[in-house]
Amino acid sequence: MENYSRTKALFISVSVDCVILGFDGKSLKMLLMSRKGKEENSDYNDFKFPGSIIYANEDLDLAAERAVKEITGLKNIKLQQFKSFGSPDRTSNPRDTRWLENATRQKVGRIVTVGYITLIKMNQVVGTFSKEYDVKWFDVTDETVKLAFDHTLILSEALKEIRRQVTYNPVIIFDLLPKKFTARDLRMAYSTLFSKNYDVRNFYKKFIEGEKYIIALEEKERNVTHRAARYFRFDRKAYTKKHSVVR
Amino acid sequence: MENYSRTKALFISVSVDCVILGFDGKSLKMLLMSRKGKEENSDYNDFKFPGSIIYANEDLDLAAERAVKEITGLKNIKLQQFKSFGSPDRTSNPRDTRWLENATRQKVGRIVTVGYITLIKMNQVVGTFSKEYDVKWFDVTDETVKLAFDHTLILSEALKEIRRQVTYNPVIIFDLLPKKFTARDLRMAYSTLFSKNYDVRNFYKKFIEGEKYIIALEEKERNVTHRAARYFRFDRKAYTKKHSVVR
């Protein structure tokens, strides 16, 4: 066990941070909380993913659910742990340490954070956000948004993970779409997730016509200026049958 | 930030634990280190995955590489972070706490551990294990092996993750196989991973004939009592072409 003895006793905290993604029909959105603070010569206002340091008797998943509920007001969100971040310089920015010590009323040293991710249907959460915190949707590509700590890294890792999952197991992209969606909605979701343009015809052939689990409905769009498009729905049963995990 | 103030300052440690899996042609193996200790009325000998508490200036990935190198002697192992485990009762067993405090010469409270996984070719690591620690291969299904802490949970979560990955992205199963493998080797690898028997003919059709990235070699087995089987190799280029992540 000799190697263990080289371990320094660390003053360390563990937190959770939750990347909540949505899709508004045009672009991929992330839900951020505003962070305001004072500095020597100025105030600042930047943003972070909803999160919290874990409580004494809290499991990681519980802490993530609690943080999301308290900060955003969203309940029963299916959070998925995707990666932990523990670089020693996560808290090297004095602004972050100061803000956190002020917020937690405790000395903050090194923090290892466990990243969670979830995709939600934006149309189902309109107006449900808690008033206590200032949370808003932002384009994931919005470069004017300054993220605290290493949350820029957490975002890029979260997007990598989602792209990987959608590539191998497209099911989760339907978590971003309304229950009824048009071919264009699905194409735009892929397009914004993979920052890639898809030829309308080819996309339809490859991702809709070809897939038994995407069911065309009788219903079409209403009150639209362009030609009303047909709605589709995702059939989870048909999908599961095709993609059963144990081959 | 009101919710943060409910946070108790926690005496907490962060560790890494590495699930190293191999395949001997018959069954899936895990690499474990032996843990010996004394208790009131008896000695005990159980096992754990190679791991370590992280050092003061160590990133998570670095700690995992170091632990694997120090404990097993294995170098340049591609470790993949798969899940973190932070249940407050991970260290509820006094035996575990006592052992760890003795090993680390520090007080141990709650520990959050970051799980890593890797699949390795057993034939390439024969005789390379470090002498300093008692590490051995065990069948992942061996119920006589008592695992410390929550390592039984870590194992089952690691296997779930590998099954999920192989199902959607078979490439990683070839990390378990020798560079040259027979159809039987591949079938047994699937069979042991999914605890499932595959019909020889159907398996060949579905997993070998059907796949452009599995290349038949001229070479056949030598000095075998049964009919010598042909060797195959995995063609990563052909695979990547077929499974390019960004669609």
Side-chain angles (χ1 to χ4, degrees):
Chain A
M1 309 313 320
E2 198 270 316
N3 66 313
Y4 281 99
S5 60
R6 269 180 271 133
T7 311
K8 305 253 182 337
L10 291 178
F11 181 74
I12 196 161
S13 309
V14 174
S15 66
V16 291
D17 285 298
C18 306
V19 180
I20 303 172
L21 298 175
F23 173 66
D24 65 357
K26 286 185 204 60
S27 47
L28 196 61
K29 304 281 191 179
M30 55 185 166
L31 195 59
L32 299 175
M33 66 180 273
S34 163
R35 186 179 79 149
K36 294 183 174 61
K38 280 200 179 306
E39 276 173 346
E40 299 67 32
N41 36 26
S42 70
D43 296 358
Y44 67 83
N45 180 11
D46 58 12
F47 300 88
K48 66 183 294 297
F49 291 113
S52 167
I53 287 180
I54 63 176
Y55 293 170
N57 296 312
E58 230 174 15
D59 191 356
L60 300 170
D61 293 359
L62 267 177
E65 280 169 40
R66 174 190 47 87
V68 167
K69 188 153 164 279
E70 285 180 341
I71 296 170
T72 71
L74 297 171
K75 296 179 196 67
N76 315 323
I77 296 292
K78 225 172 53 272
L79 287 158
Q80 182 199 357
Q81 199 198 106
F82 76 96
K83 189 175 184 180
S84 294
F85 301 82
S87 165
D89 51 25
R90 291 194 67 243
T91 42
S92 55
N93 182 344
R95 171 192 290 185
D96 293 331
T97 323
R98 223 180 298 115
W99 176 82
L100 203 52
E101 294 190 335
N102 179 30
T104 61
R105 291 162 217 169
Q106 62 176 265
K107 175 120 188 58
V108 169
R110 183 171 167 186
I111 301 175
V112 171
T113 198
V114 182
Y116 283 80
I117 193 159
T118 187
L119 306 181
I120 64 180
K121 300 181 191 301
M122 281 177 74
N123 65 324
Q124 291 184 0
V125 298
V126 175
T128 61
F129 295 150
S130 86
K131 303 278 164 292
E132 192 183 345
Y133 296 87
D134 180 15
V135 291
K136 283 202 205 72
W137 290 107
F138 294 87
D139 277 17
V140 295
T141 53
D142 185 341
E143 280 160 4
T144 66
V145 176
K146 302 243 170 311
L147 292 174
F149 299 101
D150 58 350
H151 288 197
T152 305
L153 172 67
I154 293 179
L155 172 62
S156 66
E157 288 298 307
L159 292 176
K160 261 191 221 158
E161 172 65 19
I162 291 298
R163 289 187 191 112
R164 205 177 56 78
Q165 289 190 22
V166 170
T167 300
Y168 296 125
N169 187 21
V171 60
I172 61 167
I173 204 160
F174 298 100
D175 295 344
L176 287 172
L177 293 166
K179 289 215 156 43
K180 296 179 309 183
F181 54 86
T182 65
R184 183 175 180 287
D185 294 330
L186 184 60
R187 179 167 50 84
M188 290 306 290
Y190 268 99
S191 186
T192 185
L193 184 59
F194 290 101
S195 333
K196 186 172 175 236
N197 292 321
Y198 295 84
D199 171 78
V200 176
R201 265 224 176 63
N202 293 343
F203 183 89
Y204 189 85
K205 278 214 188 77
K206 180 169 181 186
F207 291 91
I208 296 180
E209 230 172 34
E211 301 295 10
K212 299 256 173 302
Y213 52 82
I214 299 181
I215 315 292
L217 303 174
E218 286 311 312
E219 189 180 354
K220 289 189 170 186
E221 289 177 308
R222 288 204 197 89
N223 326 319
V224 286
T225 53
H226 57 268
R227 190 168 140 277
R230 169 184 299 287
Y231 282 118
F232 295 85
R233 68 173 180 84
F234 170 63
D235 184 327
R236 193 169 294 272
K237 274 220 193 75
Y239 181 88
T240 318
K241 212 167 148 203
K242 182 180 168 193
H243 291 78
S244 109
V245 171
V246 177
R247 293 164 85 156
Chain B
M1 313 313 322
E2 197 271 316
N3 66 314
Y4 280 98
S5 60
R6 270 180 270 133
T7 313
K8 306 252 183 337
L10 290 177
F11 181 73
I12 195 161
S13 309
V14 173
S15 66
V16 291
D17 284 298
C18 306
V19 179
I20 303 172
L21 298 174
F23 173 66
D24 66 357
K26 285 185 206 60
S27 47
L28 197 62
K29 304 281 191 180
M30 55 185 166
L31 195 58
L32 299 175
M33 66 180 272
S34 165
R35 186 178 78 149
K36 292 184 176 59
K38 278 197 181 308
E39 276 172 347
E40 301 65 34
N41 36 27
S42 70
D43 296 359
Y44 68 83
N45 181 10
D46 58 12
F47 299 88
K48 66 183 294 297
F49 291 114
S52 168
I53 288 182
I54 63 175
Y55 293 171
N57 296 313
E58 227 174 18
D59 190 356
L60 300 169
D61 293 358
L62 267 177
E65 280 169 40
R66 173 191 47 86
V68 167
K69 190 154 163 276
E70 285 180 342
I71 296 170
T72 71
L74 296 171
K75 294 179 196 66
N76 316 324
I77 297 292
K78 229 178 41 271
L79 287 158
Q80 183 198 356
Q81 198 197 108
F82 75 97
K83 189 175 185 179
S84 295
F85 300 82
S87 165
D89 52 24
R90 292 193 65 242
T91 42
S92 55
N93 181 345
R95 173 191 287 185
D96 293 332
T97 323
R98 224 180 297 116
W99 177 81
L100 202 52
E101 294 189 336
N102 179 30
T104 62
R105 291 163 216 166
Q106 63 176 263
K107 176 121 187 56
V108 169
R110 183 172 167 185
I111 300 175
V112 171
T113 198
V114 182
Y116 283 80
I117 192 159
T118 186
L119 307 181
I120 63 180
K121 300 180 190 301
M122 283 177 74
N123 65 324
Q124 291 185 358
V125 299
V126 175
T128 61
F129 295 149
S130 86
K131 303 277 163 294
E132 193 182 346
Y133 296 87
D134 181 14
V135 292
K136 281 201 207 73
W137 290 108
F138 294 86
D139 278 17
V140 295
T141 54
D142 185 342
E143 280 160 4
T144 66
V145 177
K146 302 244 168 310
L147 292 175
F149 299 100
D150 58 350
H151 287 198
T152 305
L153 172 65
I154 292 179
L155 172 62
S156 65
E157 288 298 307
L159 292 177
K160 262 192 223 159
E161 172 65 18
I162 292 298
R163 289 186 191 112
R164 205 176 56 78
Q165 289 190 22
V166 169
T167 299
Y168 295 124
N169 187 20
V171 59
I172 62 168
I173 204 161
F174 298 100
D175 294 344
L176 287 171
L177 293 165
K179 290 218 155 41
K180 297 179 310 183
F181 54 88
T182 65
R184 184 176 179 286
D185 293 330
L186 184 60
R187 179 166 50 83
M188 291 305 290
Y190 269 99
S191 186
T192 184
L193 184 59
F194 291 101
S195 330
K196 185 170 175 237
N197 292 320
Y198 295 84
D199 170 77
V200 176
R201 264 223 177 63
N202 294 342
F203 183 89
Y204 189 87
K205 278 214 187 76
K206 179 168 180 186
F207 291 91
I208 296 181
E209 234 171 31
E211 301 296 9
K212 299 257 172 303
Y213 52 80
I214 299 180
I215 314 292
L217 303 174
E218 287 310 312
E219 189 178 354
K220 289 188 169 188
E221 290 177 308
R222 291 205 195 87
N223 326 317
V224 287
T225 54
H226 57 266
R227 187 167 143 279
R230 168 184 301 286
Y231 281 118
F232 295 85
R233 68 172 181 84
F234 169 62
D235 185 326
R236 192 168 296 271
K237 276 221 193 72
Y239 182 88
T240 318
K241 214 168 148 201
K242 183 181 167 192
H243 291 77
S244 119
V245 171
V246 176
R247 294 165 83 157

